[in-house]
């Protein structure tokens, strides 16, 4: 069983922190394993479920650049990607920072996935639930406490 300590999202820092993930991350889509890594990074920010970033060498899915971008005051400009596996396509299901800010330079090229747009996402042996809403891509695991933004009325906390 994965030994993940309890964490309260309200005690996460602002500005956010970047840290290595000591657990295996697996993602399935289209009936296939699209990512499998023990080298993920995660971003922790107040009121957010952690966002997990997978190194590109540990991704087996086809990726296609999608339209649009977004800006994070901490990480910089994000580019979106469609994820293609097993004959299925999930539109704008992943994002990456090609040239993140200096504080988040380690994220360059790593990809984050919206858990709700994949078939299954796991941190160790804990199945992930997606963060609510249509913008934030945090992964909710059973060890998280506190109020997680993303639901209606919480976007600008």
């Amino acid at each position: 069983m994965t030994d993940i300590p309890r964490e309260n999202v309200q005690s996460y820092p602002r500005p956010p922190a970047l840290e290595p993930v000591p657990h295996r991350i697996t993602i399935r889509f289209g009936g296939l394993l699209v990512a499998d890594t023990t080298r993920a990074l995660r971003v922790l920010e107040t009121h957010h479920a952690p966002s997990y970033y997978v190194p590109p060498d540990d991704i087996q899915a086809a990726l296609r650049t999608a339209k649009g971008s977004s800006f994070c005051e901490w990480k910089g400009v994000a580019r979106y990607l469609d994820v293609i596996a097993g004959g299925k396509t999930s539109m704008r299901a992943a994002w990456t920072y090609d040239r993140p800010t200096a504080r988040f330079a380690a994220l360059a090229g790593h990809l984050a996935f919206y858990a709700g747009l994949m078939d299954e996402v796991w941190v160790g042996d804990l199945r992930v639930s997606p963060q609510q809403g249509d913008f934030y891509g945090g992964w909710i695991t059973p060890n998280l406490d506190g109020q997680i933004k993303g639901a209606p009325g919480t976007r600008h906390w």
Side-chain angles (χ1 to χ4, degrees), residues 1-107:
M1 176 156 223
T2 301
D3 184 25
I4 299 179
R6 298 227 50 92
E7 297 178 349
N8 188 310
V9 299
Q10 287 155 240
S11 68
Y12 288 164
R14 188 165 176 87
L18 178 65
E19 66 180 31
V21 177
H23 308 287
R24 184 177 182 189
I25 302 298
T26 54
I27 302 170
R28 295 185 180 280
F29 178 66
L32 299 175
L33 183 66
V34 299
D36 185 358
T37 190
T38 57
R39 303 180 304 134
L41 301 171
R42 72 179 187 156
V43 173
L44 306 176
E45 182 177 356
T46 307
H47 286 291
H48 286 266
S51 295
Y52 289 77
Y53 291 81
V54 177
D57 290 345
D58 296 341
I59 296 171
Q60 293 88 40
L63 302 168
R64 178 177 63 206
T65 298
K67 289 184 180 179
S69 63
S70 61
F71 177 76
C72 171
E73 64 184 306
W74 310 112
K75 297 181 289 296
V77 176
R79 174 171 65 91
Y80 292 86
L81 301 122
D82 301 334
V83 177
I84 305 160
K88 291 175 62 178
T89 300
S90 188
M91 308 297 279
R92 290 177 56 98
W95 72 94
T96 188
Y97 292 94
D98 295 320
R99 291 179 299 283
T101 62
R103 180 183 181 120
F104 292 92
L107 288 182

